[in-house]
Amino acid sequence: MTYLIHGATGAQGAPVHAALARSGASVVAAVRDPAAFDGDAVAVDFSSVGSLAAAYSGKEGVFIHLPIGSPDQQLAHAQAAVAAVDRARPQRVVVSTSGYSTEGDGAVAALIEGLKGTGVSFATVAPRLFLENLLLPFVVASVRDQGVLLYPIRRDYAVSWSSHLDVADVIAGLLVRPDVTGTVGVGALPGLVGDDLAAAFARYFDRDVTFEAQDPDAFGTLLAPLIGQDGTDAVVASYHWRATQADETIESDSSAQRRLGVRPRSVEQWLRDLGV
């Protein structure tokens, strides 16, 4: 039984690859440059149905998440992935929303709806915000140097925060559990607000830390040099959207805690696991 993991050199795919490898599963990385990967890997082009279908063929399971890009680029990638799954017919597919909305006409919604139409067994992992966002250089530097956790959400905005490690645990579990379908929420219950995050960082770093809401556009100015303007525009738009919402928490009934018995790490445990 072999599992194919998209982005196995990246923040989301690497922990999934590692979790499956630890379990003794046969794992293949789907990457742009196999020579740069230490292990079994295959070259894939996310814009090519033929490339993706060749990689998916004969696989027990495939993990898909859309790479950062413009909305048009992501939609094209979603459509190519759906066509490839329909052609190759892997036994199981698990998709991560990567925190994007599953509603409307966005790329993630198109990916999920398209996969439903293939009839292939699949499940969707739906994290909200990733704790790793708080380790962006300009975010964690403010915590270390000024004792201020700056982030572009309201102070009272409750979020089911999760780490890439938490999401990887859930994805690895779902790849081997074809009986669990539909959407599985990942993250803290109850949700954490800004002061909760600041308190966890304060305990871990043994210093006073306070939370301050940041303007999304100011956040985007700092982010653009790291991920490019196309990706940044989508991120900034998501935080303007969050400003219109009451909270961003998962439902208990569809949570990984309930459906798989997998609980997310605390913020402090996550920091310890990463050795920050």
Side-chain angles (χ1 to χ4, degrees):
M1 296 187 295
T2 300
Y3 300 92
L4 184 84
I5 308 302
H6 271 288
T9 58
Q12 293 191 62
V16 177
H17 186 282
L20 287 168
R22 284 194 301 270
S23 74
S26 174
V27 193
V28 177
V31 294
R32 283 188 294 251
D33 180 12
F37 186 80
D38 183 16
D40 290 338
V42 60
V44 294
D45 177 354
F46 233 127
S47 64
S48 166
V49 174
S51 170
L52 294 173
Y56 296 169
S57 181
K59 298 301 185 293
E60 178 79 8
V62 176
F63 167 57
I64 301 173
H65 69 96
L66 298 177
I68 291 174
S70 69
D72 287 345
Q73 288 171 329
Q74 289 193 316
L75 181 59
H77 292 159
Q79 292 167 339
V82 168
V85 168
D86 198 30
R87 182 186 300 181
R89 315 300 295 178
Q91 294 184 42
R92 174 73 161 168
V93 176
V94 176
V95 170
S96 175
T97 67
S98 303
Y100 290 104
S101 173
T102 60
E103 300 177 355
D105 57 0
V108 171
L111 177 61
I112 293 169
E113 285 303 308
L115 288 173
K116 287 179 182 177
T118 69
V120 170
S121 171
F122 86 101
T124 302
V125 176
R128 296 311 191 255
L129 282 172
F130 291 119
L131 287 169
E132 283 77 6
N133 295 354
L134 305 178
L135 296 184
L136 286 164
F138 56 87
V139 177
V140 75
S142 177
V143 173
R144 292 181 186 273
D145 299 340
Q146 283 111 31
V148 177
L149 178 56
L150 273 169
Y151 202 73
I153 55 175
R154 297 190 313 273
R155 186 171 184 168
D156 66 346
Y157 189 68
V159 178
S160 289
W161 288 87
S162 63
S163 73
H164 290 312
L165 299 177
D166 299 322
V167 177
D169 290 342
V170 175
I171 291 165
L174 286 171
L175 281 169
V176 300
R177 286 282 306 275
D179 58 304
V180 181
T181 58
T183 299
V184 178
V186 184
L189 284 174
L192 306 176
V193 298
D195 287 346
D196 296 325
L197 298 173
F201 272 79
R203 290 190 293 269
Y204 184 78
F205 287 113
D206 194 23
R207 64 157 302 159
D208 290 338
V209 179
T210 58
F211 180 86
E212 289 186 13
Q214 186 177 31
D215 177 75
D217 294 314
F219 179 81
T221 298
L222 297 171
L223 183 64
L226 300 178
I227 69 170
Q229 196 59 54
D230 281 344
T232 296
D233 289 344
V235 170
V236 170
S238 76
Y239 286 105
H240 281 297
W241 170 81
R242 288 182 171 94
T244 69
Q245 303 301 301
D247 59 42
E248 200 169 349
T249 55
I250 64 174
E251 297 291 333
S252 177
D253 287 348
S254 59
S255 67
Q257 291 94 313
R258 179 70 60 85
R259 301 199 68 194
L260 290 173
V262 177
R263 301 184 64 82
R265 294 158 179 78
S266 68
V267 176
E268 291 155 274
Q269 183 62 53
W270 162 70
L271 288 166
R272 284 194 294 271
D273 287 348
L274 292 185
V276 174

